[in-house]
């Protein structure tokens, strides 16, 4: 009689729970989430709650929450974020982070002495930001620039910086209402630099950079070199200008193109024909602007090696004339004295 009772109990147990033993739990994967979102993992075919002794949810090998005898024990790392529905066995996870991406596993210990397991996965999109800006060359005083930010994730604040200093609005710098783009019009050379946009939420922050280059000039053209030299001396005139990109140069002499296109004009040995006006023209091939500076050069007689300058020669001539006049006066005086 005892054997029959045990057999009956075994058959009843198998008829009630056998359909669940050895079967995998099916847990549909939720769609991708963003940081700050919530997600619910719900198994499709859970056994009756009355047959479950222990319910455990894992992330990888880390236990998230364990439910035994109706009491839930939550891993301190998930405190306030994780909970389980006792009837559906669904796990709710709140305030998602990018680090929550991975494999989740549900394990059940049931009264029939077996266990059931199911897995699913979650992808949490990381907060991201990227910047786009003008593709054409920007010219000082003429062009406008728009820098726009785009990204993924829950965004609670947007901050703009330029060269690691806060970027503030001005007459020429205007931010969009959502603060996700900035417009500069017209651009100035001082607007060149690295622009940074930072997206922030309670869980993370991400920064993107964009380098803005403003083309300008040429201006402040100057020529360095001698303006008066001795006959036969070597002369070097150097031209410079503020320009981005660097200026190209051309030299003119007394209105005639010299064919010299470097920043330095050199005369190895001067003669009188080199006296005149030297014009340096600086040209920017992006802004298509140019500017010219002039320097006059005088080649004079004499110079080093014991030669005399024109002033010295004039002085000597005057001195000789004075001496001759004095001698003539002295002779006249002596003649008169002798006659007397």
């Amino acid at each position: 009689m005892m054997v029959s009772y045990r057999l009956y109990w075994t058959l009843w147990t198998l008829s009630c729970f056998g359909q669940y033993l050895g079967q995998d739990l099916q847990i549909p994967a939720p769609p991708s989430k963003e940081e700050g979102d919530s997600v619910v993992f719900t198994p499709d075919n859970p056994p009756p709650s009355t047959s479950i002794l222990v319910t455990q949810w894992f992330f990888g090998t880390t236990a998230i929450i364990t439910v035994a005898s109706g009491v839930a024990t939550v891993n301190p790392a998930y405190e306030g974020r994780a909970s389980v529905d006792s009837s559906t066995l669904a796990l709710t996870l709140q305030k998602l982070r990018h680090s929550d991406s991975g494999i989740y596993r549900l394990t059940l210990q049931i009264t029939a002495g077996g266990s059931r397991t199911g897995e699913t996965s979650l992808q949490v999109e990381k907060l991201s930001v990227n910047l786009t800006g003008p593709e054409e060359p920007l010219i000082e005083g003429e062009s406008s620039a728009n820098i726009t930010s785009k990204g993924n994730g829950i965004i609670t604040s947007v901050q703009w910086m330029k060269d690691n200093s806060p970027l503030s609005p001005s007459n020429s710098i205007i931010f969009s209402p959502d603060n996700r783009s900035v417009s500069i019009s017209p651009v100035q050379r001082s607007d060149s630099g690295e622009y940074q946009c930072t997206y922030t939420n309670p869980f993370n922050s991400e920064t993107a950079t964009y380098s803005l280059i403003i083309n300008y000039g040429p201006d402040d053209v100057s020529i360095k070199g001698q303006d008066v030299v001795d006959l036969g001396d070597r002369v070097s005139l150097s031209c410079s200008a503020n320009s981005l990109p660097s200026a190209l140069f051309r030299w003119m002499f007394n209105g005639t193109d010299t064919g010299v296109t470097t920043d330095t004009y050199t005369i190895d040995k001067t003669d009188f024909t080199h006296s005149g006006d030297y014009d340096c023209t600086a040209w920017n091939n992006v802004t298509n602007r140019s500017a010219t500076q002039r320097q006059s050069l005088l080649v004079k007689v004499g110079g080093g090696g014991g030669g005399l300058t024109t002033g010295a020669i004039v002085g000597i001539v005057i001195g000789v004339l004075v001496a001759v006049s004095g001698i003539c006066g002295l002779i006249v005086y002596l003649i008169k004295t002798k006659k007397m």
Side-chain angles (χ1 to χ4, degrees), residues 103-309:
I103 302 299
Y104 289 79
R105 187 174 78 256
L106 170 61
T107 299
L108 303 177
Q109 301 294 330
I110 53 181
T111 55
S115 64
R116 297 191 62 195
T117 299
E119 288 187 351
T120 187
S121 62
L122 173 66
Q123 178 63 41
V124 180
E125 298 293 342
K126 186 178 181 181
L127 180 65
S128 65
V129 57
N130 64 78
L131 295 179
T132 57
E135 297 180 356
E136 69 281 357
L138 299 175
I139 299 176
E140 182 181 46
E142 297 181 7
S143 304
S144 298
N146 292 299
I147 305 175
T148 301
S149 67
K150 293 182 180 180
N152 296 316
I154 294 177
I155 302 164
T156 56
S157 70
V158 180
Q159 183 183 22
W160 288 87
M161 307 274 283
K162 177 181 177 291
D163 297 329
N164 297 316
S165 296
L167 183 65
S168 302
S170 66
N171 291 335
S172 61
I173 300 177
I174 300 174
F175 292 92
S176 63
D178 61 2
N179 207 37
R180 297 195 183 187
S181 65
V182 59
S183 175
I184 307 172
S185 180
V187 293
Q188 303 297 327
R189 68 188 67 183
S190 59
D191 295 319
S192 294
E194 185 177 77
Y195 288 77
Q196 301 126 346
C197 180
T198 300
Y199 281 8
T200 303
N201 64 27
F203 318 102
N204 203 355
S205 66
E206 288 293 327
T207 299
T209 62
Y210 183 87
S211 292
L212 199 64
I213 299 174
I214 311 301
N215 300 281
Y216 61 85
D219 49 36
D220 297 331
V221 181
S222 65
I223 299 176
K224 291 183 179 180
Q226 298 161 287
D227 54 3
V228 178
V229 297
D230 292 334
L231 182 66
D233 281 357
R234 186 177 188 274
V235 172
S236 181
L237 303 177
S238 178
C239 189
S240 63
N242 290 330
S243 178
L244 187 69
S246 298
L248 304 175
F249 298 97
R250 185 182 66 177
W251 290 88
M252 306 279 287
F253 173 60
N254 290 336
T256 301
D257 191 352
T258 65
V260 177
T261 56
T262 61
D263 61 347
T264 301
Y265 187 91
T266 302
I267 305 171
D268 290 328
K269 187 175 183 180
T270 56
D271 58 41
F272 294 120
T273 63
H274 292 127
S275 293
D277 294 327
Y278 290 81
D279 295 328
C280 172
T281 298
W283 177 61
N284 185 316
N285 61 355
V286 175
T287 66
N288 201 28
R289 298 170 182 171
S290 63
T292 300
Q293 180 64 35
R294 170 174 291 180
Q295 178 160 318
S296 297
L297 178 67
L298 174 63
V299 179
K300 60 183 179 61
V301 178
L308 298 176
T309 66

Side-chain angles (χ1 to χ4, degrees), residues 308-321:
L308 298 176
T309 66
T310 302
I313 293 173
V314 171
I316 291 173
V317 170
I318 294 174
V320 170
L321 292 175

